[in-house]
Amino acid sequence: MSITLDSKIPAGPLEDKWDEFKAHEKLVNPANKRKFKIIVVGTGLAGASAAATLAELGYQVDAFTFHDSPRRAHSIAAQGGINAAKNYKGDGDSVFRLFYDTVKGGDFRAREANVHRLAQVSVNIIDQMVAQGVPFAREYGGLLDNRSFGGAQVSRTFYARGQTGQQLLLGAYQQLARQIGQGGVKLYNRMELVDIVTVDGRAAGIVVRDLMTGEISSHSAHAVVLATGGYGNAFFLSTNAMACNVTAAWRAHRKGAAFANPCYTQIHPTCIPQADDFQSKLTLMSESLRNDGRVWVPKNPDDTRAAADIPEGERDYYLERIYPSFGNLAPRDIASRAAKRAVDNGQGVGPLKNGVYLDFADAISRLGQQTVKERYGNLFDMYERITGENPYEVPMRIYPASHYTMGGLWVDYELMTTVPGLYCAGEANFSDHGANRLGASALMQGLSDGYFVLPYTISNYLADWLNKPIPGTDHEAFKVAEQQASDRFRQYLSIGGTRSPDYFHRELGKIIWDYCGMERTEQGLEKALSEIPALYDEFQKDLRVTGTGDSLNQTLEKAGRVEDFFELGMLMCRDALVREESCGGHFRAEHQTEEGEALRNDDDFAHVTAWEWSGDPMAPVEHREELEYEVVQFQTRSYK
Amino acid sequence: MSQTLRRGPVSGTAVGRGAKRKPFLLDFYSTAVGKKYVMAITGIIGIGFVVSHMIGNLKVYIGTVTENGQEVYDIDIYGEFLRDILVPILPRTVFLWILRGVLIGAVLLHIHAAYGLTVMNRKARPVKYQSARDYEVANFASRTMRWTGIIVALFILWHLADLTWGWANPDFVRGEVYRNLDASLSRIPVAILYIVANIALGTHLFHGTWSLFQSMGWNNPRFNQWRKALAAGIATIVVVGNVSFPIMTLAGVIEFDDSVTSVHELHEDHEEASE
Amino acid sequence: MSEKLTYITLRIWRQGGPDSPGQFENHVIEEISEEASFLEMLDILNEQLIEAGKEAIVFDHDCREGICGTCSLMIDGKAHGPEKGTATCQLHMRKFQSGDTITIEPWRASAFPIIKDLMVDRAPLDRIVEAGGYISAETGGAPDANLIPIPKPVADASMDAAECIGCGACVAACPNGAANLFTGAKVTHLNLLPQGQAERYKRAEAMVETMDEYFGSCTNHGECEAACPKSISIDVIAVMNADYMKAKFKNRKKLSRT
Ligand SMILES: Cc1cc2nc3c(=O)[nH]c(=O)nc-3n(C[C@H](O)[C@H](O)[C@H](O)COP(=O)(O)OP(=O)(O)OC[C@H]3O[C@@H](n4cnc5c(N)ncnc54)[C@H](O)[C@@H]3O)c2cc1C
Ligand code: HEM
Ligand code: HEM
Ligand code: SF4
Ligand code: F3S
Ligand code: FES
C-alpha cells in the first residue's frame, strides 16, 4: 500500500482559505457528537486543548498521557512567550506580517495555507487564554504587555514572566480538568501508547501499556489524535524533558503514517553548556535574554583571562558585527551556527571552552540591577543554581543545544496523517514551521491546532462514519498488536546483556549530534548511517533491563523509547543526506555562501520530504509534497 | 483516606458532589477550613477572656480600698461587681451566666473542632516519615498546640474546682477572692501548677494569636508583619501577668489579712443601710 | 575543572509496591562531581545498579528544570532538600560535602500512596483542580483580551500564586499532610482575576471540600511555604479561607457588587 500526499488545501485566495474550509466542511450535529469516540494521546498544549474542546463540543474523549498528571507535559517548560498578531503595540504588526515572518523564518519550506491559518487564529488564542485566566504580563495601565523575540521586528510576543509555557499549559490543563470533572473526558494517566492499530487502512485505536502495572490493553475509537510532542531527545542531550520521545509518532509511522522532514531540527542558541559526561539534559536559558544580553567571545582564542579583565577592544561581539540590523536577536539557527563557529575557532569560554558569553554588564549599567532582576530574575537564579556562578557579576556562558523538532508526522491541511482517522497536532506534526521555527511560535501552533483547527477539521472525517459500526478491541488487529507489544517488552527483559538503555541512548545521541546536528556533511551522514545500525545491533544483543515487566519499571520504559530513537535516527540522517541544500535548521556544509550562510536550492528542494516505512529502517521510501507559493516570493533570508 | 492506590481511568470526578447539603452552618463546620474558623472565633473569645481576666486579677495588687468607711479588698468588690452587671435590667448573676455560657460553649466548640481536626490530620499521614524530619519554620508552639491545649483544659477544670467551687481548696470561702487566692497559691505545688499552666497557655497563644489571622483570612500586606509581634505581645502579657500572681503570693506580696472586712459583711451592711 | 566529592553514603527507601513493606537501603557512591545535579547523581547510581544486575531505583522526574513538578524527594527530612525555593531536580551536589550521609525518602501522606521506591501517586491534587480549579470559558467566543484591563499588581499577585508547579511538596512537608498551600495557590490565582469572579465562590467551595476528602487540615505551621520550590506565600491560604467563608455566607446573587 503506497501512500499519496494530498495536502487538501482549500481553493481560493490565501486569506479566505480557512473561512472557505469552515463554510463547506461536513459537520456532525450536536446530538450526534456523543456517538463518536475520539482518542487523544498526549496532554500537552496541543493535546489538552484538543481534548477539552472536543469534549465541550460533545464528543466522547479518552485522553492518554504517560505522565502522572496532564499538567506535567513538556509544554510546561516553555519560557519565553507566545506570538500573536494582535498589534496591540501599533508597531505595524498584522496577520499577514506574522504569516510572512513565519514563512521566512522557516526558510520557505512551510506550507503557505497552514501558516496563514496559524497567523489568523493566533489572535483568538490570546483572547481564549486570557478568558481562561492566564495571568499574562501587564502594563501599569492594565493592558497586555509584549516583548520582542528573535526573527521579528515587531513586539508581538505575549508572556507570563519566564513561565509562559507553564501558564498556557495550566490554562489548557484546567479546561481539560473541567471536562474530566464533568465526565466529558476520560483520563488515562501513566499510560504509554505502544502501538497504533489500523483496520482496513484506517486508524481503529491504540494499544497502551500501563506504566504502573505493565499491563497491555487496547482502546478503539472513531478517530485518534496524536499530540505527543517532539523528538528532540534523539540527541540524548537536549532541552527537552527526560521523558520526551518519539514512540507514538514512530509507531504511527510504522503503521503507515508518513514522517516528514525529520532532519529539520532546531538547535537553540542559548542553553547552559554541558558541564560533564554524566549530564542528563541541557537547560535552556530563555531566548528573551538576548533582548538585553550581548553575545561575545574573546578575539584571541588563547585568552584565558576572566571575562571582566578582557578589555572592550579585545572582545568580539560577533552577532552585532555580522548581523548589524538584528544583532543579538538574529534567528536561532543563525545565532547557533555563529556560536558553533566561534567555539570551533577555539574562542570558546568556560572550563571546557565550550560556550560563549551572554553578557548583561551593559544592561545592568543602563537599566540598573533592579530592572534586570525584574525582567530575568528567575532565569538568573536558575543559572546560578545550575552553574554556581552569579550572572549579575560574571557573564553567563551559553551554547546551542537541541531544542525543537520541526519535522514530524506528515499531515494535510486538516491535520490528518496519511492514515485516515489518525490526526497529529502540536510539535509531533511537521506542519507549520518549515525548516526552522521562530521563537514563541510553537506554543502558538500547539494551541492553534488543539483549540481552533482540529475541533473543526475532525468533523469533516467523522461525518461519514455516523451510525456505522467501528471495529472493537476484540478485533483481530488489536490482538495481534497487543501480542507484538508484549513480546517486544518481554524481549527487552530477556536480552540480559551488560549495558543500560541510557548507555545506548547516550551513544546514539552522540552520533546524531556529531553528524546530524548543527552542521551536516555527506561524509558525516554516511558515517552515521553505518554507525547507527551497528550500535543498534549491539543494543539488540547487549541491552540489560533489570526488574520485571509487571510493576513500574523505568528501565524497561526507557528501553522501548530508545529502540524507537534508533530507527528514527537512521531516518533523520537519511533525510539530511538527501536534502542537498542548506535551509533553516538543516545546514549542509557543502551548501553555503562564501560568508558561510545557508545556501538554499529552491529549484530542487522546495518540497516536503515525507518518508514511508518499508519495514527496513535503513530503506525508507521517499515521497515529496511540492510547496507552491502563491503569495510569498522566495528570498534569500537575510538578517544582516 | 486509606493508603490504597486506585487505578483506572478517571472521569466525572466532580459530578454529584454537593447534591445533599446540610444546614449551612453545619455545612460550613463540616470542612477543615470551617472548623478552623470556629477555632479562631472561639479562640478570640478565649483570648478576650484570658486577657480581661488577667487584667481584672491585677486588682489584687491594689489591695484594699475603703468602701462605706470600711476597708475591703478591691478584687472582692470586683468579683461582686461582675455578678451585678446589668442589674436591674436583668436579675443578679444572669448576665454573668450568659457570659459563662458563651465561654463554656466556646471552650466546648474549640475542643470539638480541635478533636475533629486532629483525627483528620492523623488519618492524613498514617505512615510517618521513617527518617528524622527537619523542620524549618514549624516551631515548638505550633507543633504542641494539642498538648498545650489539653494542659490548659485540665488546668481550667482544676482552677474552677480550686477558686470557683472551692473543692480543691480547704480554706475556701465563697466570694472572698483575695483570701481564696492567697490560700490556694501559698501552696507551693499549686503555685507551680499555675506557673506551668500559664506558660502552656502562653505558648498556645503565641501560635494561636498569629494563626487565627490566617484562619480568619485576615490578610493584608499592610499589617501582616505585625501579626507575629501581636501574638508575641499577647502571649507575653498573659504569661507575665498571670505568672506574677503565684510568685507574688509566694513572695508574700499578696497576703490575706483577716482584719479586712469581707465583701459579704459589706454587702449585708450595705443592704441594711439601704433598708 | 569541577571539584569532586570523593564519596557519599545514600540511605534510600526501597519499596516493591504499594502494599509491600519497605526499608532503607545503603549505597556508597564515589567520585561525584559537584556539577552533577542530585538526580544525575541518582542516574549514575542507577546505571551502576543496572550493570550489576540489580533493579534501578524508581523516582519521579521529567523536566529537570524545576517547572513540571514531577520530581519529589524527601532529602534529609526536607521536601526537595536543603536549598530554599528549589525543586529536587535543581539541587546540585555542590550543596553537599564529601562523606555526607544523605537520607532519601518518598513523600508520605495517605493521599499520596507509594507506587514504588521513591515514587508516589499525587492524583488527588488533580481531583482538587477538577472540582473547580478553572474558569469555564469554552473555546471560541472569548472577548478581546484587552477588553478587561487588569491592574498590574493584581496580575502580578495572581501570577505569584499561579507559579505553583503542583509538586505536592507542601503536603509532604506539612506536619498535618494538608494541601492548603496548593489549593490556596490555585484559588488565589483564579479568584484574584476579573475573569475568575463569576465562579469565585463556587470554586472556593468546591475545591476546599474536595481537598478535605483527601488531605489533612492546616494549622498554620508554615512548613509548606518553606518547602515550596516556588516559595508560594501562605498568604494564599488566607485568601482561600476568606473566600470559602464568603462562599458560605454571602448572597451570591449579589456577587457583582463585591
Ligand atoms: C525548554 C523549552 C522552552 C521552550 N520555549 C518555548 C517558547 O518560549 N515559546 C514557544 O512557542 N515554544 C517554546 N518551546 C517549544 C514548545 O514548548 C513545544 O514545542 C510545545 O510545548 C509542544 O507541545 P505539544 O503539546 O506538542 O507536546 P508536549 O507538551 O511535549 O506534550 C506531549 C504529551 O504527549 C504525551 N506522550 C508522548 N508520548 C506518549 C506516549 N507514547 N504515550 C502516551 N502519551 C505520550 C506526554 O505525556 C505529553 O502529555 C520550548 C521548548 C523547550 C524544550
Ligand atoms: C480547652 C482546651 C484547649 C484545647 C484542647 C485547644 C486546642 C487547640 C488546638 C488543637 C488548636 C489548633 C492549632 C491551630 O489550628 O493552630 C488551637 C488553636 C487555638 N487556640 Fe486553643 N485549645 C484550648 C484552649 C484554648 C484557650 C483557652 C484559648 C484562649 C485563651 C485558646 C486559643 C486558641 C487560639 C487563638 C487558637 C488559634 C485558632 C486558629 O488558628 O484559628 N485555646 N487550640
Ligand atoms: C494565675 C492566674 C490566675 C488567677 C490568679 C486566677 C484567679 C481566679 C479567681 C480568683 C477566680 C474566681 C473569681 C470569682 O469567683 O469571682 C477565677 C475564676 C476563673 N478563672 Fe481564673 N485565674 C487565673 C488564671 C486563669 C486562666 C489562665 C484561665 C483560663 C484559661 C482562668 C479561667 C477562669 C475561669 C473560667 C473562672 C471562672 C469564672 C466564672 O466563674 O465566671 N483563670 N480565676
Ligand atoms: S504550592 Fe508549592 S509546594 Fe505546593 S504543590 Fe505548588 S509548588 Fe509544590
Ligand atoms: S505546613 Fe501545613 S499546617 Fe498549613 S501552613 Fe502549611 S499547610
Ligand atoms: S523534574 Fe520537573 S520539576 Fe523537577
Side-chain angles (χ1 to χ4, degrees):
Chain A
M1 168 196 59
S2 181
I3 55 181
T4 43
L5 303 177
D6 175 6
S7 57
K8 295 199 225 142
I9 297 170
L14 185 62
E15 51 294 348
D16 297 338
K17 284 185 195 294
W18 181 229
D19 292 334
E20 194 62 21
F21 173 85
K22 287 193 287 185
H24 299 298
E25 62 159 339
K26 282 174 255 175
L27 295 176
V28 175
N29 98 33
N32 283 332
K33 287 205 173 84
R34 73 189 133 72
K35 295 187 185 158
F36 290 102
K37 174 135 142 226
I38 301 173
I39 285 176
V40 178
V41 188
T43 56
L45 280 180
S49 55
T53 306
L54 290 169
E56 281 164 13
L57 290 172
Y59 297 109
Q60 292 177 51
V61 178
D62 283 5
F64 292 80
T65 168
F66 57 55
H67 285 103
D68 65 330
S69 161
R71 67 182 292 151
R72 313 231 191 266
H74 174 59
S75 298
I76 201 97
Q79 300 170 349
I82 176 168
N83 288 332
K86 278 287 196 187
N87 193 27
Y88 281 156
K89 295 281 159 195
D91 56 2
D93 199 7
S94 63
V95 167
F96 185 82
R97 190 175 287 278
L98 174 55
F99 153 74
Y100 184 80
D101 285 349
T102 309
V103 173
K104 176 183 172 202
D107 223 356
F108 304 93
R109 291 294 175 264
R111 205 187 273 152
E112 262 187 347
N114 284 52
V115 179
H116 196 273
R117 174 178 65 191
L118 175 68
Q120 274 177 301
V121 303
S122 69
V123 293
N124 305 353
I125 295 174
I126 301 303
D127 299 341
Q128 181 65 25
M129 297 322 283
V130 167
Q132 287 173 6
V134 170
F136 283 119
R138 303 250 163 193
E139 289 168 343
Y140 279 98
L143 302 182
L144 290 158
D145 194 14
N146 288 130
R147 54 165 60 140
S148 50
F149 238 67
Q153 283 172 312
V154 291
S155 276
R156 62 159 76 100
T157 306
F158 295 80
Y159 65 102
R161 298 210 179 127
Q163 287 124 284
T164 317
Q166 179 196 28
Q167 292 312 313
L168 293 175
L169 180 60
L170 290 182
Y173 155 74
Q174 284 162 203
Q175 298 310 303
L176 177 62
R178 170 167 172 256
Q179 290 302 326
I180 295 168
Q182 294 176 355
V185 173
K186 231 190 247 170
L187 174 75
Y188 294 79
N189 67 333
R190 289 202 200 268
M191 288 272 195
E192 178 157 17
L193 180 150
V194 291
D195 212 350
I196 306 268
V197 178
T198 56
V199 172
D200 301 331
R202 278 191 321 272
I206 62 174
V207 176
V208 294
R209 181 169 177 274
D210 185 333
L211 299 183
M212 265 149 81
T213 61
E215 190 190 330
I216 298 221
S217 60
S218 294
H219 298 264
S220 69
H222 290 84
V224 176
V225 178
L226 299 184
T228 48
Y231 53 88
N233 270 349
F235 293 98
F236 184 69
L237 281 183
S238 83
T239 61
N240 287 14
M242 302 299 286
C244 290
N245 66 81
V246 74
T247 291
W250 195 255
R251 293 285 139 191
H253 175 56
R254 292 175 59 121
K255 287 292 168 80
F259 206 109
N261 301 332
C263 78
Y264 289 166
T265 54
Q266 181 169 75
I267 309 297
H268 195 290
T270 49
C271 303
I272 301 177
Q274 189 179 359
D276 219 330
D277 263 351
F278 53 74
Q279 193 146 336
S280 57
K281 73 158 281 172
L282 296 168
T283 304
L284 177 80
M285 288 282 104
S286 168
E287 184 157 25
S288 62
L289 289 169
R290 288 201 278 148
N291 275 317
D292 287 309
R294 298 178 69 195
V295 176
W296 64 275
V297 289
K299 280 188 177 155
N300 176 4
D302 302 319
D303 207 324
T304 51
R305 287 173 291 178
D309 300 335
I310 302 178
E312 280 294 311
E314 292 176 41
R315 300 175 175 192
D316 182 6
Y317 294 89
Y318 58 84
L319 285 178
E320 295 167 28
R321 175 169 58 79
I322 313 175
Y323 309 101
S325 69
F326 278 75
N328 292 301
L329 287 176
R332 294 179 172 176
D333 51 333
I334 289 180
S336 295
R337 260 195 318 277
K340 177 174 159 56
R341 271 195 295 260
V343 168
D344 289 350
N345 240 355
Q347 290 165 288
V349 298
L352 301 178
K353 283 179 81 67
N354 62 351
V356 300
Y357 286 129
L358 180 62
D359 199 338
F360 287 86
D362 275 3
I364 292 174
S365 64
R366 179 165 40 94
L367 306 164
Q369 176 148 341
Q370 194 48 40
T371 309
V372 171
K373 196 180 193 124
E374 272 165 30
R375 288 194 191 160
Y376 310 111
N378 59 339
L379 295 167
F380 278 40
D381 293 348
M382 177 145 109
Y383 182 84
E384 185 168 3
R385 275 197 290 268
I386 293 171
T387 61
E389 291 172 0
N390 177 355
Y392 293 102
E393 284 158 14
V394 294
M396 284 185 178
R397 286 175 293 115
I398 54 165
Y399 195 66
S402 154
H403 173 62
Y404 182 86
T405 52
M406 283 75 69
L409 291 182
W410 184 91
V411 290
D412 60 23
Y413 188 72
E414 299 174 22
L415 301 185
M416 186 147 88
T417 65
T418 51
V419 176
L422 180 64
Y423 288 79
C424 187
E427 192 176 340
N429 72 26
F430 89 111
S431 66
D432 297 352
H433 307 294
N436 176 45
R437 168 181 72 87
L438 291 182
S441 285
L443 300 179
M444 171 172 73
Q445 182 225 334
L447 288 172
S448 147
D449 287 359
Y451 275 131
F452 298 108
V453 179
L454 249 180
Y456 287 101
T457 60
I458 208 162
S459 66
N460 207 25
Y461 169 79
L462 291 176
D464 290 338
W465 290 93
L466 185 63
N467 295 333
K468 291 192 192 145
I470 53 161
T473 53
D474 47 2
H475 188 281
E476 183 57 21
F478 282 97
K479 297 291 149 219
V480 172
E482 281 180 31
Q483 191 56 44
Q484 281 170 348
S486 49
D487 289 348
R488 185 155 64 94
F489 285 98
R490 204 164 313 116
Q491 170 66 9
Y492 298 135
L493 283 164
S494 68
I495 297 175
T498 62
R499 301 289 198 171
S500 69
D502 263 331
Y503 165 83
F504 288 105
H505 191 185
R506 197 178 307 120
E507 296 300 311
L508 172 69
K510 271 188 213 148
I511 301 176
I512 304 182
W513 178 248
D514 285 348
Y515 303 117
C516 198
M518 255 185 288
E519 198 172 285
R520 297 129 186 212
T521 62
E522 184 178 346
Q523 229 186 350
L525 291 164
E526 296 282 9
K527 192 150 184 242
L529 281 171
S530 71
E531 285 183 10
I532 298 175
L535 187 66
Y536 187 27
D537 222 37
E538 205 185 311
F539 171 84
Q540 286 164 326
K541 292 193 193 109
D542 197 27
L543 177 71
R544 176 164 219 167
V545 177
T546 50
T548 62
D550 54 11
S551 77
L552 197 129
N553 189 339
Q554 292 170 313
T555 321
L556 187 57
E557 292 164 22
K558 188 71 201 264
R561 294 171 193 167
V562 173
E563 170 148 39
D564 293 333
F565 278 133
F566 267 109
E567 295 185 346
L568 168 76
M570 297 180 222
L571 192 68
M572 284 168 74
C573 295
R574 172 83 44 206
D575 189 49
L577 190 62
V578 302
R579 185 164 285 278
E580 297 220 32
E581 64 161 351
S582 294
C583 59
H586 170 64
F587 189 81
R588 281 284 296 268
E590 302 93 332
H591 304 282
Q592 51 181 308
T593 63
E594 276 161 25
E595 296 135 316
E597 300 298 343
L599 188 61
R600 259 188 2 242
N601 176 349
D602 295 327
D603 293 336
D604 300 322
F605 290 97
H607 62 246
V608 174
T609 318
W611 299 91
E612 182 186 352
W613 174 253
S614 69
D616 173 3
M618 283 295 282
V621 182
E622 185 184 342
H623 298 266
R624 289 179 179 183
E625 178 200 341
E626 292 304 328
L627 291 169
E628 277 144 39
Y629 285 92
E630 295 168 17
V631 175
V632 173
Q633 302 292 312
F634 285 122
Q635 248 190 6
T636 305
R637 208 163 58 118
S638 167
Y639 291 93
K640 293 215 165 167
Chain B
M1 287 208 221
S2 74
Q3 186 140 17
T4 43
L5 194 55
R6 250 166 300 194
R7 205 50 198 133
V10 287
S11 193
T13 51
V15 284
R17 188 181 300 289
K20 214 169 71 194
R21 289 249 172 238
K22 295 175 215 138
F24 83 105
L25 275 178
L26 280 182
D27 195 31
F28 180 62
Y29 187 67
S30 70
T31 61
V33 173
K35 287 198 180 66
K36 284 296 309 222
Y37 265 98
V38 170
M39 295 216 63
I41 294 167
T42 55
I44 293 171
I45 296 174
I47 294 173
F49 170 76
V50 173
V51 171
S52 16
H53 186 50
M54 192 274 290
I55 293 173
N57 287 347
L58 287 178
K59 286 184 181 290
V60 291
Y61 295 123
I62 295 178
T64 55
V65 290
T66 320
E67 184 104 334
N68 298 337
Q70 273 166 319
E71 221 189 344
V72 202
Y73 280 112
D74 189 42
I75 192 157
D76 294 8
I77 299 176
Y78 169 64
E80 285 303 298
F81 157 78
L82 289 177
R83 287 164 175 80
D84 284 341
I85 305 176
L86 285 190
V87 174
I89 296 177
L90 293 172
R92 196 177 127 89
T93 74
V94 168
F95 182 73
L96 184 63
W97 272 109
I98 293 175
L99 281 186
R100 285 172 175 166
V102 171
L103 269 183
I104 293 169
V107 169
L108 291 181
L109 270 175
H110 193 82
I111 294 177
H112 185 262
Y115 174 77
L117 293 177
T118 305
V119 169
M120 182 170 179
N121 295 345
R122 290 263 149 84
K123 276 201 204 140
R125 184 168 292 131
V127 183
K128 299 268 164 290
Y129 283 102
Q130 306 292 300
S131 58
R133 278 297 311 273
D134 184 1
Y135 292 109
E136 293 193 45
V137 279
N139 52 27
F140 177 78
S142 76
R143 282 188 286 129
T144 52
M145 287 303 272
R146 282 160 214 150
W147 302 116
T148 50
I150 289 171
I151 293 173
V152 172
L154 295 176
F155 165 78
I156 293 175
L157 290 180
W158 197 89
H159 181 57
L160 291 174
D162 181 24
L163 288 174
T164 303
W165 305 317
W167 307 335
N169 190 348
D171 300 321
F172 183 79
V173 179
R174 175 167 297 274
E176 297 200 11
V177 181
Y178 200 101
R179 171 205 288 273
N180 296 342
L181 254 182
D182 184 28
S184 176
L185 296 179
S186 302
R187 300 169 291 176
I188 289 180
V190 174
I192 292 177
L193 179 99
Y194 269 81
I195 294 172
V196 170
N198 276 290
I199 291 176
L201 176 67
T203 318
H204 197 83
L205 290 187
F206 174 68
H207 179 68
T209 308
W210 174 81
S211 170
L212 71 87
F213 283 89
Q214 281 290 106
S215 305
M216 299 290 295
W218 290 334
N219 189 290
N220 185 327
R222 283 183 228 289
F223 67 66
N224 280 354
Q225 68 200 86
W226 297 105
R227 297 187 300 190
K228 282 264 175 210
L230 181 73
I234 289 189
T236 316
I237 291 175
V238 169
V239 173
V240 169
N242 277 351
V243 165
S244 76
F245 302 120
I247 290 180
M248 289 308 174
T249 310
L250 292 181
V253 176
I254 297 172
E255 184 139 43
F256 179 65
D257 182 350
D258 252 335
S259 62
V260 176
T261 322
S262 93
V263 261
H264 293 293
E265 290 166 33
L266 183 76
H267 249 284
E268 280 151 25
D269 294 353
H270 193 66
E271 275 157 24
E272 278 160 28
S274 61
E275 258 169 302
Chain C
M1 262 304 298
S2 61
E3 301 288 308
K4 294 224 174 206
L5 307 177
T6 36
Y7 79 99
I8 292 258
T9 309
L10 297 168
R11 268 179 83 218
I12 300 178
W13 186 261
R14 301 294 309 253
Q15 181 169 335
D19 305 318
S20 336
Q23 72 290 319
F24 283 106
E25 199 174 272
N26 284 342
H27 293 276
V28 174
I29 170 154
E30 289 168 1
E31 294 298 317
I32 284 291
S33 162
E34 283 200 325
E35 303 282 327
S37 73
F38 197 81
L39 298 184
E40 281 163 357
M41 184 268 297
L42 289 178
D43 289 344
I44 293 171
L45 175 64
N46 270 344
E47 197 132 342
Q48 290 172 3
L49 287 175
I50 294 171
E51 281 169 14
K54 300 199 187 105
E55 200 170 344
I57 296 155
V58 172
F59 61 93
D60 241 336
H61 66 101
D62 194 20
C63 72
R64 300 212 174 176
E65 291 193 8
I67 192 75
C68 70
T70 314
C71 58
S72 49
L73 297 179
M74 202 74 184
I75 301 169
D76 286 339
K78 286 189 174 155
H80 286 311
E83 198 175 354
K84 265 221 167 273
T86 304
T88 303
C89 57
Q90 293 261 282
L91 180 65
H92 280 68
M93 293 311 290
R94 65 176 76 84
K95 295 281 156 191
F96 297 90
Q97 306 282 319
S98 196
D100 279 357
T101 297
I102 307 175
T103 307
I104 312 176
E105 242 194 290
W107 289 358
R108 294 193 188 271
S110 59
F112 291 174
I114 295 178
I115 296 172
K116 194 168 177 176
D117 293 345
L118 301 170
M119 187 189 274
V120 300
D121 182 36
R122 284 165 289 188
L125 297 181
D126 287 328
R127 301 295 91 80
I128 296 175
V129 178
E130 285 153 17
Y134 49 75
I135 292 172
S136 302
E138 305 208 337
T139 311
D144 186 88
N146 258 349
L147 192 66
I148 308 172
I150 305 179
K152 189 166 159 48
V154 173
D156 285 349
S158 171
M159 180 66 199
D160 285 339
E163 285 188 6
C164 163
I165 61 175
C167 61
C170 42
V171 178
C174 175
N176 306 334
N180 287 49
L181 194 66
F182 170 84
T183 315
K186 186 85 298 174
V187 168
T188 305
H189 158 207
L190 297 172
N191 282 9
L192 286 181
L193 294 172
Q195 287 82 0
Q197 296 310 305
E199 291 164 299
R200 176 172 166 193
Y201 298 136
K202 181 168 168 281
R203 172 182 308 119
E205 190 174 32
M207 291 179 75
V208 165
E209 285 165 11
T210 309
M211 171 176 85
D212 253 35
E213 289 172 23
Y214 299 95
F215 296 95
S217 77
C218 173
T219 58
N220 304 316
H221 285 295
E223 276 299 311
C224 48
E225 176 182 303
C228 176
K230 292 290 155 189
S231 301
I232 290 177
S233 159
I234 52 172
D235 292 356
V236 299
I237 299 180
V239 172
M240 172 178 76
N241 290 348
D243 275 6
Y244 180 70
M245 196 266 284
K246 288 182 188 153
K248 290 294 178 198
F249 290 90
K250 276 218 158 158
N251 180 353
R252 288 188 209 179
K253 290 174 190 157
K254 294 184 178 170
L255 189 71
S256 68
R257 288 160 53 91
T258 46

